Amino acid sequence: MNDQAQNNIISTKNLSVSFPLGKTFFGPKLFVKAVSNITLDIPRGSFFGLVGESGSGKTTFGRALLKAAPVSNGHVEYHDEEVSYNLNDITKEELKDYRKRMQLIFQDPYAALSPRMTVRDILAEPIELMGLTSSREETDEKVREIAAKCRLNLEHLRRFPHAFSGGQRQRISIARALISNPKFIVADESVAALDVSIQADVLNLLKSMQKEMGLTYLFISHDLSVIAHICDQVAVMYLGQLVETAPTHELFAGPKHPYTKALLSAIPSLDPDDDSKAQRLEGEIPSPASPPPGCKFHTRCPFATDICKKDEPQLDYLSVTHTVACHHWKDLETSNT
Amino acid sequence: MMSEQLLNVKNLTLQFKTDEGLITAVDDVSFDLAPGEVMGLVGESGSGKSVTAKALMLLNPGNAVYSPESSISFTANGVTVEVFDLKSAKELMLVRGGAVSMIFQEPMASFAPAITIGVQMVEQLVLHKNISVKEAKEISIEMLNHVGISEAAKRFDQYAFELSGGMRQRAMIAMALSTKPKLLIADEPTTALDVTIQAQVLDLMSDLVKEFGMGIIFITHDLAVVAQTADKVAVMYLGKIVEQGPVREVIKNPKHPYTKGLINALPQLDDIDAPLEAIPGDIPSPLDRPVGCVFNTRCPEMISGRCDVDSPKRLSVGHDHSVSCFVAEEQSS
Ligand SMILES: Nc1ncnc2c1ncn2[C@@H]1O[C@H](COP(=O)(O)OP(=O)(O)O)[C@@H](O)[C@H]1O
Ligand SMILES: Nc1ncnc2c1ncn2[C@@H]1O[C@H](COP(=O)(O)OP(=O)(O)O)[C@@H](O)[C@H]1O
Ligand SMILES: [Mg+2]
Ligand SMILES: [Mg+2]
């Protein structure tokens, strides 16, 4: 194993996830390919963004990293300072350990918290289940510690989740995810349900906890403007595939894939005088049960030509960290200048 | 002159009777709207936007109590009516699907699940426009076509659940506009959509406004959506309109600390290194409304002894631009 790989907490290679589509007794079995052939490295310590329209396979990819999705091909490797696992041949014991090292934060802070438990018990549950503490005092100590970091006070700990606002509940979910001292967090649309005024607060909390606990995040969002502000690297997904990955500044200063450009220009600007409608996408994302041939984006791409309808584009490397999968990205560059 | 306005809302105050007590959901709200004008109504969830919109159509449930000062006057075809005086079902039709239509965040709320889109559109047209079923069908298909639904005649015979999210939203807009309303109330119509589809729907709506000239109240929690769609904006917090005015004015020169807070909290692409500033604290429960200015518990500029004691009055700070805030009052005097 080379040093390069050791610097990535997660490396996927040709990762595909397929869900069976109903049951057929005769004929070929049908599948939805929700994630298709994804090769991606997530550097340790990064705030890694994953963006795409709904249905593009973001959640499924995140779940595959947790070994909670039916991987049909490829593999996922995990490396931190202490252990390395290949999820394809991980033992039961190792999987138990692996699940201590990574946590999921969901979109919906309402559904994620059990209504019958006090906040104290909600926070204590993961470390009790994992057997990370040996006494109630020790558990309480840990609960108080993480609660304080997530700005929840002793009074809050005695209450039930329904007594909290959306932003507070999301802080409870974050505290619960972080209490076991994980290394890697998958945050799936964690601020999508929150008002903007509170969204910023939760994002800032995630960021400060990253510094404090040395976390790596996979931050899944359909909102590129949020990703722009919080992530240091971004991967753009369309219909199960990666179309572009780049460091955040590079992606926003010079997006290469027509889909990335379209996503960017769809974000409404706060400036009333800015009425750039440069690249409106027509139509909607096709069903992954019957994806188009060739480049999967060709049905909506304003620049598609015959080759796009036939051949799948390969990932091109602009640099070690910037990749794009488009037959025409180079032509588009020169025609722009 | 009054009759130039399409809608004139004055001192609208609305409380709900609940088991836990009286909830003030709308507190002394006044605004007006001219024909062809688009007003954005923004604020956090729970601020009273939907309830205000429903009041315009008298759609709030039986536990709603309006204050006697509340007035909503609506002018269509040269005739002005006081909405609170509408009594019979026939009179109420004016504001329910006749001259006033509403679209929602979740299009399934507009469509009955068991009947086709076409049947529902035709029923509504026949009811409000007094035309034949044949004519209604023609208008409906034409309207579906108009909002960019391909194979409109086929969609006409489909159920809403058979359409994709974006198409459903278009079908709902088609249905809402087929009666040619004078006022369209759009309650978070793009909130559940991907940005790409949101952009399509917003483009469609702005084309339709130009074409049909109806007034629109566009409810959203996203100030950027308002910036791109509305002529003027009213910012709502805990049932109060804290600031209102022309969009350009309010966004480029906000006066209320809450408006400023909303602007600073919004992640924007022109400066991705700018820190995101949250508005401190949480929106209080409506059962526990702050004394004085409703925003004082979260306001970074709060003046003790003033903002937590008295309610600020509406103060004019420019042409059609007004704000209710003691800090702004001191700055302007
Ligand atoms: N458990 C499942 N069974 C069948 N199909 C699924 C399942 N989970 C996701 N899918 C399908 O996989 C595709 C990608 O879904 P998802 O990963 O949720 O996308 P995203 O998170 O980007 O919105 C969708 O078409 C979805 O319907
Ligand atoms: N039928 C009702 N009974 C009691 N309270 C209600 C009712 N409808 C709305 N409310 C309350 O009125 C307030 C405003 O709600 P709403 O207009 O839906 O907010 P928004 O649309 O701005 O998110 C909320 O506190 C809500 O709980
Ligand atoms: Mg998802
Ligand atoms: Mg609402």
Side-chain angles (χ1 to χ4, degrees):
Chain A
M1 200 173 299
N2 59 34
D3 288 348
Q4 180 69 36
Q6 296 278 3
N7 290 332
N8 298 318
I9 193 159
I10 291 283
S11 294
T12 74
K13 192 123 183 74
N14 303 327
L15 185 71
S16 297
V17 179
S18 295
F19 293 106
L21 246 189
K23 280 203 180 100
T24 45
F25 288 100
F26 304 105
K29 249 190 165 170
L30 295 175
F31 289 95
V32 182
K33 213 167 191 189
V35 168
S36 178
N37 214 18
I38 289 194
T39 298
L40 182 70
D41 291 330
I42 300 177
R44 207 175 299 150
S46 63
F47 212 120
F48 201 101
L50 180 61
V51 70
E53 287 167 287
S54 51
S56 54
K58 306 181 296 297
T59 295
T60 305
F61 179 75
R63 297 186 71 88
L65 303 187
L66 300 167
K67 206 171 165 65
V71 170
S72 55
N73 196 20
H75 63 256
V76 179
E77 281 175 22
Y78 171 88
H79 304 283
D80 63 25
E81 302 87 345
E82 296 154 5
V83 298
S84 290
Y85 296 127
N86 180 333
L87 296 201
N88 283 20
D89 49 31
I90 193 167
T91 66
K92 254 194 165 158
E93 274 308 299
E94 288 173 334
L95 186 60
K96 230 176 121 187
D97 175 66
Y98 179 58
R99 294 222 160 113
K100 288 177 191 166
R101 292 169 191 271
M102 61 176 357
Q103 288 292 321
L104 189 61
I105 303 172
F106 296 94
Q107 162 170 6
D108 189 351
Y110 296 84
L113 304 174
S114 162
R116 283 175 220 287
M117 288 164 74
T118 62
V119 171
R120 185 258 165 216
D121 291 345
I122 287 171
L123 299 187
E125 190 180 52
I127 45 176
E128 280 169 352
L129 286 178
M130 292 175 195
L132 295 180
T133 53
S134 48
S135 67
R136 193 180 160 96
E137 286 69 42
E138 201 188 335
T139 304
D140 277 334
E141 175 64 34
K142 278 209 170 344
V143 166
R144 278 197 298 271
E145 199 181 304
I146 196 73
K149 285 179 183 164
C150 296
R151 280 184 288 107
L152 300 162
N153 60 35
L154 291 181
E155 167 62 27
H156 290 143
L157 293 178
R158 266 179 251 127
R159 294 203 225 144
F160 292 89
H162 70 83
F164 293 90
S165 67
Q168 287 171 320
R169 280 189 233 209
Q170 200 54 295
R171 293 212 301 271
I172 298 170
S173 310
I174 293 171
R176 181 180 155 98
L178 299 186
I179 193 165
S180 57
N181 219 350
K183 308 275 184 196
F184 179 56
I185 302 284
V186 176
D188 191 354
E189 301 281 6
S190 302
V191 296
L194 303 177
D195 279 301
V196 274
S197 70
I198 288 161
Q199 182 179 297
D201 182 53
V202 171
L203 292 173
N204 292 337
L205 176 64
L206 289 175
K207 198 92 191 178
S208 70
M209 294 312 279
Q210 176 181 37
K211 289 202 190 93
E212 198 168 326
M213 301 177 65
L215 296 164
T216 306
Y217 288 101
L218 176 65
F219 184 83
I220 298 177
S221 174
H222 67 282
D223 188 341
L224 257 182
S225 51
V226 168
I227 289 211
H229 278 266
I230 190 152
C231 296
D232 33 50
Q233 294 198 48
V234 192
V236 184
M237 230 176 140
Y238 186 77
L239 215 53
Q241 294 183 324
L242 287 184
V243 298
E244 184 163 8
T245 58
T248 304
H249 275 96
E250 224 172 295
L251 190 87
F252 286 89
K256 303 295 181 217
H257 198 285
Y259 180 61
T260 313
K261 293 181 192 175
L263 273 186
L264 276 169
S265 72
I267 297 171
S269 158
L270 190 53
D271 181 356
D273 300 317
D274 175 356
D275 55 356
S276 51
K277 291 186 182 176
Q279 306 213 7
R280 283 290 144 85
L281 272 192
E282 289 187 13
E284 293 173 57
I285 189 168
S287 160
S290 50
C295 172
K296 291 192 169 150
F297 184 56
H298 87 253
T299 56
R300 297 167 80 192
C301 182
F303 310 107
T305 59
D306 283 343
I307 186 175
C308 308
K309 295 173 189 159
K310 291 201 303 273
D311 297 342
E312 221 172 86
Q314 301 299 306
L315 268 190
D316 260 352
Y317 282 80
L318 282 78
S319 67
V320 183
T321 48
H322 194 162
T323 65
V324 58
C326 169
H327 289 297
H328 296 308
W329 75 267
K330 274 187 193 142
D331 323 339
L332 295 173
E333 288 286 284
T334 43
S335 65
N336 277 351
T337 49
Chain B
M1 237 183 62
M2 276 288 291
S3 59
E4 275 177 31
Q5 296 297 349
L6 171 67
L7 181 69
N8 209 299
V9 176
K10 263 211 179 104
N11 310 113
L12 180 69
T13 297
L14 153 56
Q15 295 181 305
F16 288 109
K17 280 189 244 167
T18 72
D19 293 343
E20 283 130 344
L22 267 187
I23 285 180
T24 303
V26 181
D27 187 0
D28 199 21
V29 157
S30 301
F31 63 87
D32 45 41
L33 190 75
E37 197 171 39
V38 180
M39 180 177 99
L41 186 57
V42 290
E44 278 166 272
S45 50
S47 54
K49 307 180 296 294
S50 296
V51 161
T52 301
K54 285 186 203 153
L56 305 179
M57 301 169 87
L58 295 182
L59 278 179
N60 280 306
N63 64 333
V65 185
Y66 293 92
S67 77
E69 295 80 37
S70 302
S71 156
I72 300 170
S73 59
F74 179 68
T75 306
N77 308 319
V79 184
T80 300
V81 294
E82 170 58 51
V83 171
F84 286 110
D85 292 340
L86 302 174
K87 290 288 182 294
S88 69
K90 192 156 188 279
E91 286 174 333
L92 280 166
M93 265 170 48
L94 174 76
V95 291
R96 292 190 189 156
V100 185
S101 279
M102 188 155 175
I103 57 180
F104 304 91
Q105 172 173 345
E106 183 33 72
M108 293 310 278
S110 291
F111 290 106
I115 51 178
T116 61
I117 290 168
V119 166
Q120 200 166 331
M121 288 183 80
V122 165
E123 258 179 16
Q124 180 197 256
L125 272 167
V126 169
L127 183 70
H128 288 288
K129 290 279 149 170
N130 225 339
I131 53 176
S132 72
V133 170
K134 186 166 171 286
E135 276 175 287
K137 180 170 177 178
E138 277 165 19
I139 294 174
S140 301
I141 292 179
E142 154 67 25
M143 203 61 215
L144 288 172
N145 203 7
H146 205 101
V147 297
I149 291 184
S150 57
E151 302 179 88
K154 189 176 141 202
R155 305 286 175 220
F156 181 86
D157 287 321
Q158 286 187 317
Y159 297 89
F161 67 81
E162 294 179 272
L163 305 189
S164 66
M167 282 300 145
R168 235 181 258 156
Q169 213 70 18
R170 285 172 191 266
M172 177 168 63
I173 292 171
M175 182 159 86
L177 295 188
S178 61
T179 56
K180 301 258 151 73
K182 300 282 187 252
L183 173 64
L184 177 70
I185 301 168
D187 192 353
E188 311 246 13
T190 60
T191 301
L193 303 175
D194 275 305
V195 276
T196 51
I197 311 299
Q198 165 171 283
Q200 293 171 3
V201 171
L202 293 182
D203 285 352
L204 170 68
M205 288 184 66
S206 72
D207 290 346
L208 292 170
V209 181
K210 278 187 209 121
E211 190 180 333
F212 292 79
M214 71 268 183
I216 296 192
I217 295 178
F218 196 114
I219 297 175
T220 170
H221 63 278
D222 188 343
L223 256 183
V225 167
V226 167
Q228 294 307 314
T229 52
D231 304 306
K232 61 184 193 181
V233 55
V235 181
M236 216 169 170
Y237 186 79
L238 269 187
K240 281 255 184 218
I241 290 182
V242 295
E243 177 162 10
Q244 59 179 312
V247 161
R248 222 167 247 89
E249 261 296 297
V250 172
I251 288 178
K252 297 203 161 156
N253 194 9
K255 296 291 185 197
H256 199 284
Y258 180 59
T259 316
K260 293 180 203 167
L262 281 181
I263 291 171
N264 290 336
L266 198 71
Q268 286 186 260
L269 288 183
D270 46 13
D271 182 6
I272 64 174
D273 296 320
L276 295 176
E277 287 172 45
I279 298 178
D282 290 294
I283 191 165
S285 150
L287 283 164
D288 188 18
R289 277 167 70 84
V291 177
C293 169
V294 282
F295 188 57
N296 85 72
T297 56
R298 297 172 74 191
C299 184
E301 301 176 55
M302 198 267 261
I303 308 167
S304 255
R306 182 121 195 249
C307 303
D308 51 356
V309 176
D310 290 327
S311 242
K313 301 259 172 322
R314 187 168 162 181
L315 170 79
S316 173
V317 285
H319 183 64
D320 284 337
H321 186 179
S322 65
V323 62
S324 304
C325 171
F326 289 122
V327 180
E329 242 173 63
E330 295 203 339
Q331 280 162 0
S332 76
S333 63

